[in-house]
Amino acid sequence: MHSLCSGLNHLLRLWIVCVSLFKNHGFAGKMKIVEEPNTFGLNNPFLAQASRLQPKVTPSPVSGPAHLHRLAGKCFSFTESTYKYEFCPFHNITQHEQSFRWNAYSGILGIWQEWEITNNTFTGMWMRDGDTCGTRNRETKVILVCSASSKLAQVSEPSTCVYSVTFETPLVCHPHSLLVYPTLSEKLQTEWDEAEQARYEELITEQGYNNLLRDIFEDAGLLKSQKVKINPPEVAPDSGTHSSLQKCTEDFQKQREEIERLHALLTLHNIPFDSQQNKAKSTASVTVKNQHLRGDDGLFDPQ
């Protein structure tokens, strides 16, 4: 009986010690919580969208049919599978992976650049210079289709890093809504008319005609210019000219002093110099040339 009581007392003491240790190091101390930092660079979902996406270039100015300009400043979303696409006409198109993965993709598929034009018709909007994709940049062609409401309807990737987007809108339902010619200024319309006439009269080739059209579309801001800008060389303001009579006199005096200096230098080194003789020879030479230029085929003896 005595041994049983001793065993119980021993167990009780061990239990008290364990409770004391647990209390001092468990409840008395604060529990340390390790949090994964939400610092996944540009893909951090807790950052503002503008902070995550870094465009390479600035969008081109708004251009094309005037009735489509009202789309500028608006954005349209489309979700397919685990991806959300956002198309902002005349600005850019982006893709966001709807995933909780730490490296979920969120990037730019293209930035507004220029129209695609075929047979006097706007056939698409090109968004280029998107995020890097291997050795190239992502780019997207947006096709405009008639519909009762404006919405992003379809997204595909026909080739690697090149996307095709269908945008439906009632703004293109009129049969003339995507014609190019009416959007041009009167001056550019005249240039197009002249190019058409020159092609009809076979004064220019088909390639020459297409080059003229591209120049017209570039001037209208519909296509991104491919012309290389060359800055003209800077010309000194007094180069070859005299701004005043005083300046002319000063230059003449400097030239005369230089001639005298050279004459003195030749004399110092015993080098003969006869300006009158050289002048006479020069006059004779000019006379010979002039006589031959007048068509005198006969013999001419300078002596």
Side-chain angles (χ1 to χ4, degrees):
M1 187 71 175
H2 178 72
S3 59
L4 180 61
C5 290
S6 298
L8 291 173
N9 289 334
H10 182 68
L11 290 175
L12 182 60
R13 288 176 182 175
L14 288 176
W15 182 79
I16 292 172
V17 171
C18 290
V19 171
S20 177
L21 290 173
F22 185 75
K23 181 179 179 181
N24 292 334
H25 298 281
F27 294 126
K30 294 182 179 180
M31 184 178 293
K32 184 178 181 182
I33 300 176
V34 178
E35 297 181 352
E36 285 293 330
N38 290 313
T39 55
F40 303 135
L42 300 180
N43 296 326
N44 182 358
F46 297 98
L47 289 177
Q49 185 72 11
S51 300
R52 282 189 281 158
L53 305 181
Q54 303 296 327
K56 290 182 169 63
V57 297
T58 302
S60 297
V62 177
S63 64
H67 57 278
L68 295 182
H69 294 184
R70 68 186 70 175
L71 295 174
K74 299 180 180 179
C75 294
F76 304 86
S77 299
F78 173 74
T79 301
E80 184 179 46
S81 184
T82 59
Y83 292 97
K84 178 182 178 181
Y85 300 89
E86 191 170 64
F87 169 54
C88 302
F90 304 107
H91 190 64
N92 65 20
I93 181 168
T94 57
Q95 181 189 57
H96 311 281
E97 185 177 1
Q98 306 295 289
S99 171
F100 292 102
R101 296 188 306 116
W102 70 270
N103 62 342
Y105 176 75
S106 180
I108 300 175
L109 301 186
I111 299 171
W112 162 241
Q113 187 174 101
E114 62 182 353
W115 287 95
E116 180 178 87
I117 299 175
T118 305
N119 296 329
N120 190 25
T121 303
F122 293 106
T123 55
M125 302 176 70
W126 272 107
M127 307 281 186
R128 306 187 193 274
D129 292 321
D131 289 347
T132 302
C133 181
T135 58
R136 58 180 301 174
N137 295 329
R138 301 178 192 271
E139 59 181 1
T140 302
K141 178 183 176 180
V142 180
I143 302 172
L144 306 178
V145 178
C146 171
S147 178
S149 61
S150 294
K151 61 182 179 179
L152 199 58
Q154 186 179 3
V155 179
S156 63
E157 188 176 1
S159 60
T160 305
C161 308
V162 179
Y163 303 84
S164 178
V165 170
T166 300
F167 179 69
E168 299 180 351
T169 175
L171 298 175
V172 299
C173 291
H174 192 279
H176 297 163
S177 60
L178 292 176
L179 291 181
V180 178
Y181 188 87
T183 67
L184 302 178
S185 65
E186 184 177 349
K187 175 179 177 295
L188 294 179
Q189 288 181 351
T190 301
E191 291 182 12
W192 194 345
D193 294 341
E194 293 173 351
E196 286 283 358
Q197 185 65 28
R199 182 177 67 162
Y200 175 76
E201 297 176 0
E202 298 184 352
L203 299 177
I204 56 175
T205 63
E206 190 67 22
Q207 181 179 356
Y209 170 77
N210 292 330
N211 290 337
L212 288 176
L213 279 192
R214 179 168 186 93
D215 289 342
I216 292 172
F217 298 153
E218 287 181 2
D219 291 341
L222 304 177
L223 299 181
K224 189 173 182 180
S225 177
Q226 296 180 348
K227 300 174 183 177
V228 179
K229 295 183 179 180
I230 302 177
N231 295 325
E234 295 183 0
V235 180
D238 292 334
S239 177
T241 61
H242 301 286
S243 57
S244 64
L245 178 60
Q246 181 180 359
K247 176 64 177 173
C248 179
T249 304
E250 292 176 355
D251 290 344
F252 175 76
Q253 182 64 27
K254 290 179 181 179
Q255 291 178 7
R256 188 168 67 175
E257 292 175 356
E258 180 66 15
I259 293 174
E260 292 178 354
R261 186 185 68 83
L262 293 174
H263 193 182
L265 185 62
L266 292 174
T267 303
L268 180 63
H269 291 82
N270 297 322
I271 299 176
F273 177 81
D274 190 346
S275 59
Q276 296 298 328
Q277 181 179 358
N278 291 340
K279 183 177 180 180
K281 290 182 179 179
S282 177
T283 303
S285 176
V286 171
T287 304
V288 173
K289 292 180 180 179
N290 289 342
Q291 290 190 11
H292 281 288
L293 287 175
R294 285 195 296 268
D296 184 3
D297 296 328
L299 296 177
F300 178 76
D301 186 2
Q303 299 179 349

